[in-house]
Structures are given as structure tokens and as C-alpha cells.
Amino acid sequence: MPEPNVWCTAPVTRLRIVVLGGSVGMALLTGCVTVSPAERQQLSKPEMTPATDASEEVWHTHVEAAREAGFGGHGAAGGGCGCG
Amino acid sequence: MRLRLSRARARRPGGPWRRSWIASLQLLPVLLLWLLPRPGAGEDRVIVRGNYYREASTRVLQPTVDVEVDVPDERLSLGTAYVLDAISSASIASGAAEVTGGDQVFTEIRHEVLGRASSRLGDWGLGGFFRYSTETDYISRSAGASASRDLLQRSLTLSLAYAYNFDRVSRIQMNTMVVLPWCGGSVDIALCQPTGHGARTNLRQVHYVSGGYAHAWHETLLGLASVEVARTLGPQDNPYRGAQIPTSEVEIHPLQRTQVALTGGARWMIPRSPVVLEPRYRFTTDSWLIKSHAIDTRVHVRALPHLRLRARYRYYRQSASFICLDSPGDDLDDGSQFFCSTTEGEFATADPKLGAWHSHTPGVQVVFELDALAGIRYLDWLENGWVEATYNHVFQSNRYGNARLGALAFSLAF
């Protein structure tokens, strides 16, 4: 059975342009920022480390996947910053 | 347990509610979470959790245990996990409910085991996993792999992951309790095959790809972003929910679905304070025309040297699926009965996840780091351990009603 095709019909809105432009601008501004290992004391604390929450995020993702149509956003973001 | 259910023609006790809990297509991102490098890498660790979920008609108890060891160091880490889901839900035998004394509660069990391996080789991180889950009428298997690369003196991490899910979906016939393959509401159950692949089989497949970005923008600021795409093929409707749709005998969803999720977030430690702010935003869209927005804001406070507190607020909103567009009056799930169908009856649903609704979720968490006790004689084994308690309350506008989520967890390094 066919599924509706949203990809070809979705209009390009001003909001999307702003979001895309903002993302590209942010990437350019921060693209080569380097924080040396000696400066990463704060970043290595548990409250600054996404992987600290991994076991809890598993549970929240399970609940949200069972109750919401949306998905993701709970940890595919990069594998940490190498700060540990 | 107070039950709030209605309608007759139930095909299976507890079926629609239990299945709606378990048949989560998008658990693959969760599994890849375990491949992330964790703080304290280089030590073996066990984590034991007890999760609890309760809403008007469903209660879930989920004990889990996870063990990870380095053999002999972070160049190769092996992990395994076991998850037990005990789902208690109500029958929808409302026609007989008053005669027989009311709704009954049925509890069913799901077992899940997971094995994983990960490796840190210089600036590269590699990982893989396999997961197996089984219950009465559903078997699920997943496998995946990920790779990450650290750049800019490990200030920046880029990652790529792929996972594949292959499930076999079945349906239990009322009275006879015979388990039959389920190929979706659009396929005659008599023609449905329990083996092979294609439209007339009960194989459900999910291909999942994600790209991740994590960058230390400053010594107190971490930026995060990800793009995730999932493509699902096979039966995606609930074999027991047809009783809730007056215009159709069965629920009928399309056999294909493509979903995209874009996520951005940051963690910022306010200088010279014990406070970390963590805003997140996620947007999803899919080929069933559902769009969702989720804003998740967290505030972490280190109240004492070994005591962390966290407050959370999450707002979620989604639009209705294309199945509801032909009957726009039905697409808002306001908490009462919900169903929609296309004009020609090609598709029909009673799944609240396909309606328009929103939720608010406040929550709190307390983490006590056991290092505070490790200096006491005979308690040195508590070093690097922690105890965590979490509570979230979900205010949902749909018929699932409000929900409570609780969790207790502790972890020990060894």
C-alpha cells in the first residue's frame, strides 16, 4: 500500500531557513574551537557528561517510544566529548 | 489498580494496552546509548535499576541489571544486560464486566538480554551489540554497530551508527489461545506466513541510522546535536485494537514508515556556581505526516560535595497522522475515545499515538555519590558507587491519562 509522501510536498518556510542558517552559522563559529585537556576539569564532572545518564535515558526512551509518535533524541549525540 | 476502560469485542485480555507498551519500534537508539564512553571508563561496573510506570490502565515494573568489564582495559569492554518487563493491564471485557464483577488485571512478562562490545583505540571508538527480546506473541532481535572519532584534542566527537531490528509479530486467538502470525490489518490472517520476508509475512524490520556531534565549545559549555533516520517495514498496527474502531474490524496501518529526528542541546556550567543548565530540543517528522516537538529542560545542582539534585520539565506536542485527515474532527485526542479512518477505509486506527495531543512532564532526581562513605573502614568498596532516585509525573491530554514514572538505581565499581 502506498504511504503519503511528505518529503516532496512540504513547503520551505522562513522558520526552516532561520533554523538551517542558525545551525550553519553556529557550526562555523564553533567549528574549530579547541578546549585543551588541562581546561576540561568542569567538563569531566558527571553533571556535564551525557553518558552519565545513559541507563536512565534507556528507560525514558522506552516510555516515550511506547506512548509517543516521535522518537530518538536520547543519546545518539556523538558519543561524548572525550572529556572523561 | 483503578481501571478505566470501555467497549466490548475484546479479542484478548489486556492485549491492546500491553502491546501498545511493548511494540515500540524505535528502541534502537536506546541500545546504541550503551556504546557511549562513560565517565570512569577503565573500571568495571554493575548498575541495578528498578523502573516503575503507572497510568490509569497500565502498570509496568521493570527491573534491570547491567554489567560492564574491561578486558583488560578500555581497548576492549564487554557488557551484558538483562531486562524484565512485567506489564499489568486491563481486559476490555466491558460487556461482561459488570456481571462478572468488573475489569480484570492481567500480567504478562517480557524478557530481554543484550550483549555488547566496545573499544577505544586512540581517537577512535568502535562498538557493536546484539539484543534478543521475547514474550508470548512477539519476538524481537536487534544488531548494530557504531564508530566515533575524536578531533581537536578530543574537544569534538563525531559519530555514526547503524542498527537493524527484525521482529516476528503474532496474535493470540481468543478462547483457543493459539498463536498465529500477524502481517498487519490489510493482510488476511489466513494468508499470513510466519517465515520469510515480504508483505504476507509477519516480519517487521527497522533500519536505523544516526549521526552525532558533541563539541566542547568552552571549558564550561558542551554542545550536542544529532540526526536520526528510521525506516520501518512490515506490520505496524495492533492486532488486538480493532475492537475500538466502529468503522473497521481491524486496525490497519501502512506497511512502511520513514521517520526523521533532529535533536540539539547543550550543557552549560554557570561559572563559579554548582549549577548546570541543560536545554534540549527535538523535532521529528515522518511519512505518516506526524510532526512532533519536544522541549526538555534540566537544571543540575551539586548541593553538597557528594549530593546532586536535578529538576526537569519536558513539553511534548504532536500532530495527527494522515489517517485522521479525512475526519479532522477526530484527530484531536482529548482524553475520550479515539479512532480515525480514511474515507475509503483503506486505513483505520485507534492508536492514541497517531492522534494530536500534548503532555507536560515535571520531574526531580537525587543522586548520592557513595564516595562520601568510602572513607569509612570496611566501606572502601563503595568508592565510585552511587544511588539514584528519580520521579517524573506526566500530564497527558490523550486517553492514556496522567502517568507516574519512578526509578531507583544503584551502581558499584569493582
Side-chain angles (χ1 to χ4, degrees), chain A residues 3 30 56-57 67 81, chain B residues 55 154 215 231 280 310:
Chain A
E3 58 181 333
T30 62
E56 180 198 3
E57 297 288 358
R67 289 293 178 258
C81 74
Chain B
E55 61 189 24
R154 303 185 75 181
H215 194 170
R231 173 73 172 164
R280 296 185 196 181
R310 190 191 74 190

Side-chain angles (χ1 to χ4, degrees), chain B residues 259-302:
Chain B
Q259 296 168 278
V260 177
L262 306 174
T263 306
R267 292 195 183 211
W268 177 50
M269 176 170 279
I270 299 175
R272 293 180 292 282
S273 82
V275 179
V276 171
L277 304 180
E278 183 193 0
R280 296 185 196 181
Y281 170 72
R282 186 197 71 192
F283 169 73
T284 70
T285 183
D286 68 29
S287 58
W288 292 4
L289 304 187
I290 301 174
K291 288 182 169 58
S292 78
H293 302 269
I295 298 170
D296 196 340
T297 302
R298 303 175 184 201
V299 180
H300 308 253
V301 179
R302 186 169 284 274

Side-chain angles (χ1 to χ4, degrees), chain B residues 335-395:
Chain B
S336 58
Q337 186 181 28
F338 169 75
F339 60 88
C340 329
S341 58
T342 53
T343 303
E344 296 178 355
E346 193 176 12
F347 301 110
T349 186
D351 186 350
K353 291 199 297 293
L354 301 191
W357 61 279
H358 66 275
S359 68
H360 303 269
T361 307
V364 294
Q365 183 181 77
V366 179
V367 180
F368 180 62
E369 295 169 348
L370 299 176
D371 291 346
L373 305 175
I376 300 174
R377 193 176 184 186
Y378 303 122
L379 294 182
D380 55 339
W381 52 278
L382 293 176
E383 187 174 3
N384 293 329
W386 46 260
V387 177
E388 174 189 293
T390 308
Y391 179 77
N392 289 274
H393 200 98
V394 187
F395 298 93

Side-chain angles (χ1 to χ4, degrees), chain B residues 180-335:
Chain B
L180 296 175
W182 174 258
C183 297
S186 59
V187 178
D188 186 344
I189 196 167
L191 302 176
C192 183
Q193 299 299 313
T195 58
H197 58 85
R200 289 187 177 179
T201 72
N202 66 340
L203 176 65
R204 170 154 51 191
Q205 305 172 80
V206 183
H207 297 274
Y208 170 85
V209 178
S210 73
Y213 162 91
H215 194 170
W217 288 332
H218 182 264
E219 56 189 83
T220 60
L221 178 61
L222 179 67
L224 303 159
S226 69
V227 178
E228 297 164 86
V229 179
R231 173 73 172 164
T232 306
L233 304 168
Q236 299 173 62
D237 34 39
N238 187 311
Y240 309 108
R241 205 154 36 206
Q244 301 169 26
I245 309 172
T247 56
S248 176
E249 281 295 309
V250 292
E251 189 172 72
I252 308 172
H253 291 174
L255 296 173
Q256 310 92 29
R257 187 179 190 183
T258 304
Q259 296 168 278
V260 177
L262 306 174
T263 306
R267 292 195 183 211
W268 177 50
M269 176 170 279
I270 299 175
R272 293 180 292 282
S273 82
V275 179
V276 171
L277 304 180
E278 183 193 0
R280 296 185 196 181
Y281 170 72
R282 186 197 71 192
F283 169 73
T284 70
T285 183
D286 68 29
S287 58
W288 292 4
L289 304 187
I290 301 174
K291 288 182 169 58
S292 78
H293 302 269
I295 298 170
D296 196 340
T297 302
R298 303 175 184 201
V299 180
H300 308 253
V301 179
R302 186 169 284 274
L304 295 169
H306 296 290
L307 184 68
R308 287 184 278 134
L309 308 176
R310 190 191 74 190
R312 176 197 192 209
Y313 170 74
R314 180 176 188 266
Y315 174 72
Y316 175 82
R317 172 178 287 277
Q318 71 171 63
S319 60
S321 70
F322 79 96
I323 299 175
C324 298
L325 294 183
D326 292 342
S327 53
D330 296 331
D331 67 352
L332 180 64
D333 187 344
D334 60 0

